[in-house]
């Protein structure tokens, strides 16, 4: 097994884990895995093939064959490619989130993405965010953070994030979507959303992005220095 250190940041949608993971990775100079993007890509790839209702095996085959590439544009903004098409914007839509959480309940799809997720673990280290980074994909992570925030706060954040991108959705509809997705993610039998036993819980409801980032970095440095 690879010994490169991993920081796992798990939590429900809208808890801020994507933003925090990106900042922590940048501060440490480590790689970043946005595992939710992989589930979103499977959902999107299935939709493009008209196969959202396909069998578990067919969806797992789509997951195994994902032609995905991550890079950055000239301004340093991350871009995600599915084959030849830039799907960065489409991937962030609520529709894609919903498709992702539907394919994510399927054990064979989860299995099909396992190797790809682990392949992000390279030198000098990896910050991975998702739902099961600390429990299933990287159980030996050096630091496991379970990031939460109240449901109302999470809906408000998502709303602002989407508005900033010019995507218009109503707050009540978004809250319902988030609740549905939380329920599906928490109640599924395989790799449900829950903190690892050795995770540190962090409630970000009343904290700024800088404060949450700093807390995670302090924890990381504590552990790195103790080695
Ligand atoms: O984090 P994000 O909102 O992009 O994730 C989209 C969906 O992908 C989640 O609602 C969840 O169903 C699924 N997911 C998962 N396991 C992960 C990451 C995401 O099941 N590690």
């Amino acid at each position: 097994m690879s010994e490169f250190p991993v920081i796992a940041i798990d939590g429900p949608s809208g808890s801020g884990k994507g933003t925090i993971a990106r900042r922590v990775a940048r501060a440490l100079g480590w790689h970043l895995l946005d595992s939710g993007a992989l589930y979103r890509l499977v959902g999107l790839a299935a939709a493009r093939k008209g196969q959202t209702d396909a069998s578990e095996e067919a969806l797992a085959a789509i997951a195994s064959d994902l032609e995905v590439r991550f890079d950055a544009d000239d301004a340093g903004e991350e871009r995600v490619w599915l084959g030849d098409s830039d799907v960065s914007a489409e991937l962030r839509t609520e529709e894609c989130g919903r498709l992702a959480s539907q394919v994510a309940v399927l054990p064979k799809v989860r299995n099909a993405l396992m190797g790809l997720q682990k392949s992000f673990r390279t030198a000098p280290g990896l910050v991975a965010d998702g739902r099961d980074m600390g429990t299933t994909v990287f159980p030996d992570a050096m630091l496991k953070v379970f990031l939460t925030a109240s449901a109302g706060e999470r809906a408000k954040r998502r709303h602002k994030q989407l508005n900033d991108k010019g995507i218009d959705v109503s707050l009540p509809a978004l809250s319902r979507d988030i609740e549905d997705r939380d329920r599906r993610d928490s109640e599924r039998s395989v790799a449900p959303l829950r903190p690892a036993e050795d995770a540190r819980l962090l409630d970000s409801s009343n904290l700024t992005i800088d404060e949450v980032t700093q807390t995670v970095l302090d924890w990381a440095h504590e552990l790195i220095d103790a080695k």
Side-chain angles (χ1 to χ4, degrees):
M1 180 177 293
S2 156
E3 290 305 319
F4 299 121
V6 175
I7 297 176
I9 305 183
D10 289 305
S13 17
S15 57
K17 55 190 183 338
T19 306
I20 301 304
R22 192 174 319 113
R23 290 192 177 208
V24 169
R26 202 169 287 160
L28 294 172
W30 288 11
H31 299 283
L32 177 68
L33 166 62
D34 169 5
S35 62
L38 302 182
Y39 288 94
R40 286 171 183 262
L41 282 161
V42 176
L44 182 62
R48 287 191 168 181
K49 291 174 191 258
Q51 290 195 22
T52 47
D53 294 325
S55 66
E56 181 170 351
E57 283 71 22
L59 290 164
I62 291 176
S64 301
D65 297 343
L66 267 189
E67 273 182 59
V68 53
R69 196 158 49 82
F70 294 86
D71 66 10
D73 64 18
D74 294 342
E77 283 295 312
E78 287 149 23
R79 284 186 313 187
V80 189
W81 298 84
L82 184 59
D84 290 337
S85 72
D86 179 350
V87 294
S88 321
E90 199 174 354
L91 221 50
R92 300 326 316 168
T93 60
E94 286 308 293
E95 169 66 7
C96 244
R98 199 174 51 73
L99 289 170
S101 82
Q102 284 168 0
V103 295
V105 300
L106 304 170
K108 288 182 180 160
V109 169
R110 304 197 70 84
N111 245 332
L113 290 178
M114 195 60 94
L116 178 57
Q117 294 177 90
K118 289 185 194 278
S119 72
F120 281 75
R121 186 176 193 169
T122 51
L126 175 69
V127 181
D129 87 74
R131 305 292 188 290
D132 62 342
M133 298 296 98
T135 52
T136 309
V137 183
F138 302 110
D140 62 339
M142 168 190 95
L143 169 63
K144 299 177 187 179
V145 179
F146 195 80
L147 194 61
T148 57
S150 67
E153 183 60 32
R154 291 190 283 122
K156 264 197 294 185
R157 287 180 191 170
R158 253 293 148 74
H159 192 240
K160 180 170 182 309
Q161 208 176 40
L162 292 171
N163 266 351
D164 289 350
K165 290 186 176 154
I167 302 171
D168 188 24
V169 275
S170 84
L171 188 56
L174 196 57
S175 300
R176 268 197 309 276
D177 260 15
I178 287 186
E179 277 170 26
D180 284 351
R181 199 127 69 84
D182 283 354
R183 196 170 321 110
R184 211 167 17 232
D185 290 348
S186 308
E187 291 177 356
R188 69 178 175 225
S189 55
V190 186
L193 171 66
R194 62 172 172 78
E197 270 172 23
D198 49 350
R200 301 190 190 196
L201 303 188
L202 184 52
D203 184 338
S204 70
S205 306
N206 298 309
L207 299 175
T208 63
I209 292 173
D210 282 348
E211 287 170 331
V212 178
T213 307
Q214 197 50 55
T215 303
V216 176
L217 281 172
D218 288 347
W219 286 341
H221 284 302
E222 233 174 67
L223 294 166
I224 292 167
D225 293 347
K227 281 206 166 176

